[in-house]
Amino acid sequence: MRNWLILHVLAACCFGCRAEESVIQPTEDVEVVEGQPTQLSCTFDTTDLSPYLFWYKQQANGKPMFMLREDTFGTGETATEFKERFHARLNVTAKSVPLTIQRLQLSDSAVYYCALRPTVTTVYSALLQKL
């Protein structure tokens, strides 16, 4: 018997972005089968020639957790707890950065956010500097 999981793709973030910049994610629940791979889509529009795209995961009653960053230089960064099964590849030409999750687990049920630089972390640090 297969266990079904629901991944919530709720919103995209573009904090501090200019009017011509945006991040687009389907705002829908994705039903997936435990143990199988899945891909969550994220497209963006920016005039920045070197965009940075981020993925965050937010579990029920929790705060968004940084998962990974992809950039045009190919260096990127992935938080330790996401290195094994979570991958994204920035495609500047297609203006997309899909998130692939391998071997889905029950603990993967969460809300996933895609964000374009600058992100929430920039807003938080600006607020902390004002205090």
Side-chain angles (χ1 to χ4, degrees):
M1 184 170 147
R2 292 184 170 180
N3 291 327
W4 289 90
L5 305 175
I6 295 179
L7 305 180
H8 304 281
V9 184
L10 185 65
C13 304
C14 193
F15 293 101
C17 292
R18 297 179 293 258
E20 67 273 10
E21 296 179 321
S22 63
V23 179
I24 302 145
Q25 283 182 272
T27 54
E28 59 191 28
D29 292 345
V30 179
E31 289 188 19
V32 293
V33 178
E34 188 175 12
Q36 297 296 311
T38 195
Q39 190 172 74
L40 304 178
S41 66
C42 174
T43 58
F44 61 92
D45 192 19
T46 181
T47 55
D48 190 343
L49 298 176
S50 302
Y52 285 70
L53 276 294
F54 298 78
W55 276 97
Y56 294 90
K57 176 182 180 181
Q58 184 174 12
Q59 293 184 305
N61 301 319
K63 61 183 180 180
M65 296 184 321
F66 168 76
M67 296 175 66
L68 56 87
R69 181 198 82 231
E70 288 293 310
D71 58 58
T72 53
F73 306 108
T75 52
E77 176 186 5
T78 302
T80 305
E81 62 268 31
F82 298 106
K83 284 188 177 184
E84 186 180 323
R85 297 183 306 108
F86 296 80
H87 306 280
R89 173 106 29 223
L90 175 62
N91 183 330
V92 178
T93 306
K95 295 187 175 183
S96 69
V97 61
L99 175 67
T100 301
I101 307 172
Q102 299 294 331
R103 300 178 310 282
L104 281 159
Q105 300 173 2
L106 186 58
S107 61
D108 295 332
S109 292
V111 176
Y112 291 84
Y113 298 90
C114 178
L116 177 65
R117 177 189 68 174
T119 65
V120 178
T121 54
T122 303
V123 175
Y124 285 151
S125 76
L127 289 173
L128 289 174
Q129 290 171 4
K130 290 181 181 180
L131 295 177

